[in-house]
Amino acid sequence: VPGHEDFIRNMVAGATGLDVVLLVVAADEGVMPQTHEHLAILEFLSVKTGVVAITKCDLVDEEWLELVEDDVTAKLADTSIAWSENVLRVSAETEQGLDELRSALAEAAHAASARVEDDLFRLPIDRAFSIAGAGTVVTGTTWTGTVSIGDDVRLLPGDGGARVRGIEVHDETCQSALPGRRTALALTGLSRTDVERGHTVVSHEAWRSTTAVDVLVTLLPESRPLTQRSRIRFHLGTAEVMARLTPADPEVLPGGENAPVRLRLEEPIVCRWGDRGVLRSYSPVTTIGGCVVVDPFPPAKPRRPLNLHEKAVTDPEKRLVAFVEAAEKRGLEVGDLPVRLGLTPDEASALLVGVKEIVRAGDSLFSSTVAGSARTATLRSLE
């Protein structure tokens, strides 16, 4: 992606869902402001692995090239991304370093962890167009799960239904699309005018859109303070929506802080526990921080996020207990668990076995405390 700030929106949409990135720094320009912004965004999106190439090496002398390389190496040392061992020197003109670059990319790609195929299918859309004989075609990176020809899918936000007529993965016709691949779906039953960039194709009823999200926010040190109802740009997947902040405490978030926040969105989006997003200021448009989704369907009351740190723990059993306790008398729907907890359906089912703090009543889960109170009240009424 070109480094100019006008392309940051595309960069965020494209980098979301990637396993490996290639960071390019031009030898004749060196590390630029957008290089810093790109690196911050990659960290907020939790990209694990990267390869670094310094291009246009034929345009500068050795001394300058060493300065650029030292600058790049020093900057990368401050990130959490596992970069390739060597910074590669490349020239498209002389073909210097191209073989080494191909090898480094292949090695990084082979080392990337395979994604779970038996999960809820989700594909954020970055392009949509019509082809005669194929109908409406949408493209994007398959985030999770698998889709096959003949499957029924839905378009969110909204609830337009469609059927998968054809699939291409990296320009090859396939019967199914697996997670982590660039995917094109030919859909029947859906008009081109119904589809926009930022929409999401899903196939399971657990997915639904939301206009409020509880997140844990990390602000960049140089970010200006955010206050109650600050208006920001929220990037998640290929969607960009405007949002208002409701911090838990304190009401003012200074730069460099980590804090629980509720985002009230001006347009609905589709998200899941553990999804990572990027926050950019309304004006001037600059990256100010990132966030991780902790509750995609928070209760309307209280207005401020509660117990987010308990809901954010990595232990899924503790996370489940925290969600059920926060639901109180409303209960937590079993069918929502894969989205609310960020688990596969099989993991969610296995989690319900043997959790003593939870009582299941039909398709709802309640804490043992709430269930005990209801039992006591019922017996008292009968007496």
Side-chain angles (χ1 to χ4, degrees), residues 14 17-20 109 115 123 126-127 137-143 166-185:
L18 291 186
D19 300 304
V20 181
R115 302 195 186 191
L123 180 128
D126 51 38
R127 282 196 308 149
V137 177
V138 298
T139 70
T141 300
T142 302
W143 270 24
I167 299 175
E168 283 191 1
V169 176
H170 294 286
D171 298 326
E172 293 186 4
T173 302
C174 301
Q175 290 297 311
S176 299
L178 303 179
R181 275 73 165 178
R182 286 294 301 173
T183 304
L185 302 179

Side-chain angles (χ1 to χ4, degrees), residues 24-338:
V24 177
V25 177
D28 57 340
E29 294 182 332
V31 175
M32 300 292 284
Q34 265 60 55
T35 310
H36 294 268
E37 190 168 12
H38 282 187
L39 286 172
I41 290 170
L42 292 175
E43 286 204 89
F44 289 138
L45 297 179
S46 194
V47 175
K48 304 297 183 186
T49 308
V51 177
V52 187
I54 298 179
T55 59
K56 304 182 183 180
C57 289
D58 57 303
L59 297 183
V60 299
D61 57 33
E62 179 66 23
E63 184 178 358
W64 176 261
L65 190 56
E66 288 180 359
L67 290 173
V68 172
E69 188 172 304
D70 290 343
D71 193 17
V72 172
T73 302
K75 181 59 184 173
L76 298 183
D78 295 333
T79 70
S80 60
I81 301 170
W83 297 101
S84 55
E85 185 175 350
N86 299 316
V87 175
L88 302 174
R89 299 181 177 188
V90 177
S91 168
E93 181 69 24
T94 66
E95 299 189 0
Q96 170 193 348
L98 292 185
D99 289 338
E100 291 83 354
L101 177 58
R102 294 186 186 99
S103 297
L105 288 171
E107 182 179 347
H110 285 302
S113 300
R115 302 195 186 191
V116 178
E117 297 177 12
D118 188 18
D119 199 356
L120 306 182
F121 171 72
R122 173 171 53 155
L123 180 128
I125 296 171
D126 51 38
R127 282 196 308 149
F129 49 90
S130 297
I131 295 181
T136 300
V137 177
V138 298
T139 70
T141 300
T142 302
W143 270 24
T144 55
T146 305
V147 68
S148 301
I149 292 178
D151 285 355
D152 291 324
V153 296
R154 291 183 296 134
L155 183 71
L156 295 176
D159 203 22
R163 183 179 293 270
V164 179
R165 182 175 184 175
I167 299 175
E168 283 191 1
V169 176
H170 294 286
D171 298 326
E172 293 186 4
T173 302
C174 301
Q175 290 297 311
S176 299
L178 303 179
R181 275 73 165 178
R182 286 294 301 173
T183 304
L185 302 179
L187 305 176
T188 59
L190 199 64
S191 170
R192 165 64 187 90
T193 57
D194 297 331
V195 187
E196 296 180 4
R197 175 178 176 164
H199 284 169
T200 305
V201 180
V202 299
S203 63
H204 194 279
E205 61 273 11
W207 294 112
R208 63 181 190 268
S209 55
T210 180
T211 55
V213 184
D214 282 352
V215 299
L216 291 179
V217 167
T218 301
L219 294 182
L220 291 172
E222 61 272 21
S223 169
R224 66 185 182 187
L226 297 178
T227 59
Q228 177 81 359
R229 293 191 56 77
S230 288
R231 195 167 187 238
I232 61 167
R233 301 172 188 270
F234 178 43
H235 295 259
L236 191 140
T238 58
E240 177 190 5
V241 300
M242 304 305 299
R244 298 277 186 181
L245 279 88
T246 303
D249 187 46
E251 293 193 1
V252 178
L253 299 182
E257 282 293 304
N258 302 297
V261 166
R262 177 162 297 176
L263 297 179
R264 300 193 177 277
L265 313 177
E266 297 181 12
E267 298 176 49
I269 64 166
V270 177
C271 63
R272 183 186 201 178
W273 184 95
D275 282 352
R276 293 183 174 270
V278 175
L279 306 179
R280 308 192 77 212
S281 57
Y282 174 64
S283 181
V285 184
T286 58
T287 300
I288 57 175
C291 65
V292 57
V293 174
V294 176
D295 193 347
F297 310 124
K301 295 181 180 180
R303 293 179 57 83
R304 294 180 181 275
L306 296 177
N307 305 322
L308 280 210
H309 292 290
E310 288 85 350
K311 294 180 182 179
V313 295
T314 54
D315 185 328
E317 184 172 317
K318 293 180 180 178
R319 199 157 70 234
L320 173 61
V321 172
F323 268 91
V324 172
E325 289 179 348
E328 299 179 335
K329 294 182 180 181
R330 297 182 303 274
L332 189 67
E333 292 298 312
V334 173
D336 289 344
L337 292 185

